[in-house]
Structures are given as C-alpha cells and as structure tokens.
C-alpha cells in the first residue's frame, strides 16, 4: 500500500440530523422520529424522516462531496426526492426501498451537479490511495458494522461510506452512521481489516 498520507479536508454529514445521537438511533434506544432536528432534513413529517434516515447513507456521502467541492448542499430529503425521480431509489411497497442504485445515481450526479461519477463494480482497495491523491473521493459499499472494525461482520456491503484519505496503515472513512468521537470523521480502518467489510465496489466522484 502507498507510503504517502492523503487527508483532504472533507466536511462531514451524518445520515441523521442529530449526529451526536447516532448510537441511540442505531441501537433502537431512540426512534428517528424523535430526532429533535428532524425538520432540518426537509421532511414533511417526523414519520417521513424516520423512514428515510436509516437509508440515507448515500445521500449523506453526496452532501459531503457537494460541500467539499463548494456546491450548494440541499437538505437530505430534497436529495432523496431528486434521487427517486432519477431512479436511484425505487420504492417497493410501503416499507421497502431498492437502492442506492449506482448507475442512475452516477448519471444524476453528473447531470445535476456537474461532478464526475464513475461506477466501479470492481474497485480494489489498492486503488484508493491513487484515487484520493488525484483529488477524488470514493463511495464504498461496506457492512454497516464497520463502525467497530475489530469485530467481524456477518457479510460485506450494504452501507455506503466516503473514503476521504489514506495512510500506509489505514483508509480514512467518513461514516454517515458512525459513532461520535469514534467512527464518524476520518475513521481509520486498517487495510488488513477493510476486506472483511468491503464488497469491492463503489462510485468514484471527482470535481
């Protein structure tokens, strides 16, 4: 792996409005509908927000990228609605969603925001230092429990994080469902542990 260290200054966004309460949302101690900041999401109701908040990891990653490249940052639910229209999310009944679907997401990002977006179904971890040192950011599909990388997950993929830096020892991830002070901002995941969580696919974003 690269001997260089790359740490772009990328703003952080959680997929819940109250980033400090993520541990309570994740464990079920607090319902997302009771998020005191739910209205900041742009949702019409606490129920709409509570439905989408656990599903908005990709939206949070996009908001980070937009802020990083000095674009306006819409509210999370506004982006959800645009991504639904673009086909990047597909509602399946009243309680299920298919997505984030990479190709329509990438097409939306290019058309709506003028960013580059390359779908990579075979994005090797070894490519990340070059991607980031070249000015890019990478959405990676990982298991949601990557917030505790010392514990083996049950599978790979299913949750999106944003790779924002690399060191010789680790990849640095902004995790939309990470825990405050531990695994939200530039969380270090050792290369040797990444493979247990990483599905080997993602989307490379660039200005």
């Amino acid at each position: 792996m690269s001997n260089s260290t790359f740490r772009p200054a990328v703003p952080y966004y959680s997929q819940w409005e109250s980033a400090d309460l993520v541990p309570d949302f994740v464990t079920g101690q607090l319902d997302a509908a009771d998020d005191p900041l739910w209205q900041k999401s742009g949702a019409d109701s606490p129920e709409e927000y509570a439905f989408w908040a656990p599903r908005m990891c990709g939206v949070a990653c996009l908001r980070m990228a937009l802020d990083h490249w000095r674009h306006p940052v819409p509210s999370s639910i506004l982006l959800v609605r645009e991504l639904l229209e673009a086909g990047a999310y597909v509602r399946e009944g009243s309680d299920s969603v298919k997505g984030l679907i990479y190709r329509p997401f990438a097409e939306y990002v290019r058309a709506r925001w003028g960013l580059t977006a390359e779908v990579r179904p075979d994005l090797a971890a070894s490519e990340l230092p070059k991607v980031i040192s070249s000015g890019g950011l990478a959405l990676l599909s990982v298991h949601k429990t990557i917030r505790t990388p010392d514990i083996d997950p049950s599978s790979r993929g299913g949750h999106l994080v944003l790779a924002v830096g690399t060191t010789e020892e680790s990849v640095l991830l902004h995790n939309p469902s990470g825990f405050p002070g531990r695994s939200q901002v530039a969380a270090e995941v050792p290369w040797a542990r990444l493979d247990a969580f990483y599905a080997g696919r993602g989307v490379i974003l660039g200005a």
Side-chain angles (χ1 to χ4, degrees):
M1 203 60 65
S2 170
N3 292 327
S4 301
T5 298
F6 307 112
R7 298 173 182 264
V10 180
Y12 175 79
Y13 289 80
S14 171
Q15 63 193 83
W16 287 272
E17 293 297 330
S18 295
D20 58 319
L21 297 178
V22 169
D24 294 332
F25 296 135
V26 168
T27 59
Q29 296 182 54
L30 187 65
D31 191 281
D34 296 320
D35 186 334
L37 300 180
W38 72 266
Q39 288 178 305
K40 289 182 62 179
S41 72
D44 291 334
S45 66
E47 291 74 25
E48 182 185 19
Y49 169 74
F51 177 82
W52 283 105
R55 300 172 167 89
M56 292 197 295
C57 49
V59 167
C61 291
L62 176 58
R63 296 179 82 203
M64 298 181 212
L66 292 174
D67 199 347
H68 176 59
W69 284 306
R70 304 185 185 283
H71 288 270
V73 182
S75 65
S76 55
I77 295 297
L78 176 59
L79 285 174
V80 164
R81 292 168 182 163
E82 291 187 357
L83 288 165
L84 278 165
E85 186 174 348
Y89 285 122
V90 177
R91 290 292 298 263
E92 297 182 321
S94 61
D95 59 356
S96 181
V97 175
K98 182 180 180 181
L100 193 68
I101 304 171
Y102 289 174
R103 292 202 180 278
F105 170 75
E107 291 168 2
Y108 161 83
V109 168
R110 291 191 292 264
R112 175 74 168 86
W113 299 105
L115 299 176
T116 63
E118 179 187 2
V119 176
R120 289 291 307 274
D122 56 352
L123 179 57
S126 59
E127 295 184 57
L128 296 177
K130 182 178 180 181
V131 168
I132 295 169
S133 65
S134 299
L137 300 171
L139 278 78
L140 307 180
S141 178
V142 300
H143 193 270
K144 62 185 178 180
T145 58
I146 200 166
R147 67 177 75 91
T148 53
D150 53 325
I151 301 174
D152 285 336
S154 57
S155 60
R156 297 183 177 93
H159 173 61
L160 290 171
V161 296
L162 192 67
V164 299
T166 65
T167 70
E168 184 176 2
E169 297 82 16
S170 304
V171 60
L172 309 181
L173 304 177
H174 277 8
N175 185 350
S177 70
F179 291 160
R182 294 171 51 197
S183 53
Q184 284 183 347
V185 180
E188 297 188 20
V189 176
W191 295 111
R193 291 295 299 153
L194 180 63
D195 182 63
F197 299 86
Y198 179 41
R201 60 180 181 266
V203 180
I204 297 174
L205 300 178

